[in-house]
């Protein structure tokens, strides 16, 4: 009854002896508990968060529902293992385009163990986390029933510079998606997916407002997931644009201080997405692209 | 005609052979150019910034006016040395209370030299920069004509934990200031200095809005200076509350990305100051203080 999830774009998978997550046919997602401190921390977070009356409903909707922990047969069929039981975020979705964005220029807490910090620092430096305040962790973009999904290599995606990240965020909401990076994305679905009062930007702005205020939790190495269904958008329907936060194995107590690391990264992502909505001329005409870009390129005149 | 400034609370001073800044009697501040890359970078920043038409007036007012560079006799009288000529920010102020707050959990740019990064990382870790997103660099609080200023040791100030930083931000706007940290600050001037449409919080929020959008500059190791005159406040007059940004030896090009490190730190400071304005009961009654604090202490119930 349990099977591998169809639309996982980042995170651990069943591979080479490692356990992967599973889903059932009633909308539940089973995430194997990491044996070390991380598994314990993630359970502790979900337990604390799901019973925390200080988190308003318009914020808790951005988190997967939590159904406790359960022993289930592991993905490799070997034995019964403890799993977190969560909401399957792509349940009932048809061919969702999904982007996993790890937020924060720093993926480690000041109080984390020294060797773990060192490992993270290296990854943050070698990815776009340090310069951009976030990194793309993985993505799948639906192309067509015939060609299926474009799912680029995660290693490649994580270390892209700002301009390529911008291009992928455009490609994500374009109709002329091709597997290569050479075509100019038309951003045909930008306004319906990113824009509007129920669009992705609006949801991220709600989350941002909470992060400006909340001092309960600090979220390190946590991702925001962007999802929508391109086929619905193509038929003039609501594409069911949605954001969710995932991965809470490195959540620490806020101790009265806001999560400035997460908030800064989220604001950086907001700026990237806002620009796609506010500068449509960037992709209006192929020939004019270079000219228009140089007019919009702040850093060109702002050399220090 | 040039003399040592009266109200410097942080930064290099004339001491043990090192050159310090000087002021004249017409409102100019002479900052000796650091001989290495830093001096060059700070001149380059002021030159770029002062001629950048993309910076709106309501933002450029938060920066010291720039009058070029000039050879003047050094503070030790030894020789003519190149100096930045800037606006003297405390010119015409009487007994100003001043706080220098270095913004950002990270005081180094990703592209800075490796040895410089190492040095900064150590300082960020050992100060409150890493946990709070900012650190107090120095301060002076005017007490009275008789006792003058309270100017605590900079080393001590820089590494204070969140609760003590909160206490100092309260003490800064209190009438019952004493040199010790044991008295409960009355926050008598909080609403007139921090609050209101022309107060410090309102100014920082304007700056924040710019940082959410601007991708021209990244400001590392830059400080926001808070200033006001307590004697004016005591006499029911406007205390001339003002913020200024200073120290631009580590400004880098933004290259189309917002300064998420500075912005995150600034939002953290905003939260500290907002709380002082919105939870007056914290200092209303001595006896009730502990009870009230435990009701307002998010982290107590939000344990992870």
């Amino acid at each position: 009854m349990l099977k591998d999830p169809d639309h996982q774009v980042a995170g651990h998978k069943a591979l080479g002896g490692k356990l992967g997550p599973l889903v059932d046919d009633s909308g539940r997602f089973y995430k194997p508990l990491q044996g070390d401190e991380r598994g314990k921390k993630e359970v502790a977070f979900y337990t604390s968060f799901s019973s925390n009356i200080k988190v308003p409903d318009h914020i808790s909707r951005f988190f997967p529902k939590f159904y406790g922990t359960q022993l289930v047969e592991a993905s490799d069929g070997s034995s019964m293992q403890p799993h977190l039981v969560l909401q399957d975020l792509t349940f009932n979705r048809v061919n969702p385009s999904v982007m996993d964005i790890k937020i924060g220029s720093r993926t480690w807490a000041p109080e984390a163990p020294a060797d773990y910090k060192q490992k993270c620092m290296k990854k943050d430096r070698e990815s776009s986390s340090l310069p951009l305040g976030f990194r793309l962790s993985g993505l799948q973009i639906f192309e067509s029933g015939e060609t299926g999904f474009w799912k680029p290599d995660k290693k490649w995606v994580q270390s892209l510079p700002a301009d390529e990240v911008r291009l992928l965020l455009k490609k994500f909401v374009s109709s002329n998606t091709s597997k290569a990076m050479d075509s100019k994305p038309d951003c045909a679905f930008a306004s319906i997916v990113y824009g509007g009062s129920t669009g992705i930007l609006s949801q991220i702005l709600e989350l941002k407002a909470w992060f400006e205020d909340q001092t309960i939790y600090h979220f390190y190495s946590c991702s925001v997931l962007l999802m929508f269904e391109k086929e619905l958008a193509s038929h003039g329907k609501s594409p069911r644009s949605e954001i969710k936060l995932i991965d809470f194995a490195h959540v620490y107590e806020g101790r009265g201080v806001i999560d400035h690391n997460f908030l800064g990264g989220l604001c950086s992502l907001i700026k990237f997405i806002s620009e796609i909505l506010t500068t449509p001329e960037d992709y209006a005409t192929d020939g004019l692209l270079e000219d228009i870009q140089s007019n919009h390129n702040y850093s060109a005149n702002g050399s220090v």
Side-chain angles (χ1 to χ4, degrees), chain A:
Chain A
M1 210 186 71
L2 297 182
K3 63 181 184 90
D4 291 340
D6 286 329
H7 304 297
Q8 201 192 352
V9 299
H12 298 281
K13 288 192 183 179
L15 195 73
K18 263 197 197 159
L19 299 185
L22 297 160
V23 293
D24 66 15
D25 53 10
S26 71
R28 298 191 174 202
F29 181 90
Y30 299 79
K31 182 176 180 177
L33 279 189
Q34 294 169 293
D36 53 17
E37 206 51 42
R38 289 175 295 177
K40 272 186 224 150
K41 274 191 89 68
E42 192 153 26
V43 173
F45 168 74
Y46 274 109
T47 307
S48 156
F49 186 83
S50 60
S51 63
N52 194 322
I53 54 164
K54 282 177 181 155
V55 179
D57 290 347
H58 74 276
I59 294 303
S60 56
R61 73 183 168 117
F62 295 136
F63 291 73
K65 288 195 190 73
F66 172 58
Y67 304 109
T69 57
Q70 195 178 313
L71 280 176
V72 301
E73 190 177 312
S75 58
D76 63 355
S78 63
S79 61
M80 298 297 277
Q81 295 284 341
H83 286 64
L84 269 167
V85 189
L86 304 170
Q87 178 188 5
D88 178 3
L89 299 177
T90 57
F91 185 69
N92 268 341
R93 285 192 178 267
V94 179
N95 296 323
S97 291
V98 180
M99 196 176 263
D100 179 310
I101 307 177
K102 200 183 278 275
I103 305 293
S105 68
R106 198 159 35 87
T107 57
W108 48 275
E111 54 267 62
D115 54 340
Y116 178 77
K117 274 190 212 174
Q118 285 300 330
K119 224 176 69 179
C120 290
M121 267 186 222
K122 188 166 181 290
K123 269 196 197 166
D124 297 345
R125 210 169 45 224
E126 292 169 355
S127 70
S128 68
S129 293
L130 195 55
L132 305 194
F134 64 88
R135 67 179 179 243
L136 306 184
S137 262
L139 62 104
Q140 67 175 26
I141 302 180
F142 183 68
E143 294 187 340
S144 69
E146 197 186 337
T147 58
F149 290 94
W150 181 51
K151 206 166 171 174
D153 178 64
K154 282 192 279 175
K155 282 266 156 60
W156 174 75
V157 159
Q158 289 180 10
S159 57
L160 293 175
D163 287 344
E164 305 280 294
V165 167
R166 195 168 283 123
L167 201 60
L168 273 181
L169 284 165
K170 287 181 178 176
K171 222 174 161 65
F172 189 59
V173 292
S174 290
S175 68
N176 62 340
T177 314
S178 86
K179 290 177 200 275
M181 284 289 274
D182 50 2
S183 70
K184 297 249 186 311
D186 62 12
C187 294
F189 309 122
S191 61
I192 196 175
V193 173
Y194 289 150
S197 62
T198 60
I200 278 175
L201 182 59
S202 168
Q203 294 177 50
I204 300 184
L205 288 171
E206 268 191 80
L207 192 63
K208 175 200 169 209
W210 185 62
F211 270 91
E212 287 179 332
D213 188 53
Q214 74 89 13
T215 60
I216 316 172
Y217 304 111
H218 285 191
F219 296 88
Y220 296 99
S221 204
C222 164
S223 286
V224 58
L225 218 56
L226 315 184
M227 290 171 288
F228 77 99
E229 290 165 58
K230 192 180 277 185
E231 285 161 307
L232 291 173
S234 304
H235 291 88
K237 295 180 183 159
S238 162
R240 302 175 67 198
S241 310
E242 194 178 36
I243 68 164
K244 291 279 183 190
L245 291 184
I246 57 165
D247 294 342
F248 308 109
H250 305 283
V251 177
Y252 286 73
E253 283 188 47
R255 298 175 191 274
V257 178
I258 65 160
D259 188 350
H260 44 87
N261 173 63
F262 189 98
L263 178 59
L266 200 64
C267 289
S268 179
L269 176 62
I270 286 168
K271 175 69 176 174
F272 273 77
I273 294 177
S274 302
E275 276 184 345
I276 295 174
L277 285 166
T278 55
T279 56
E281 54 281 39
D282 266 12
Y283 45 83
T285 325
D286 271 10
L288 281 173
L289 194 76
E290 272 72 31
D291 293 341
I292 293 165
Q293 276 182 335
S294 68
N295 285 333
H296 281 85
N297 189 350
Y298 291 110
S299 60
N301 293 322
S303 317
V304 179

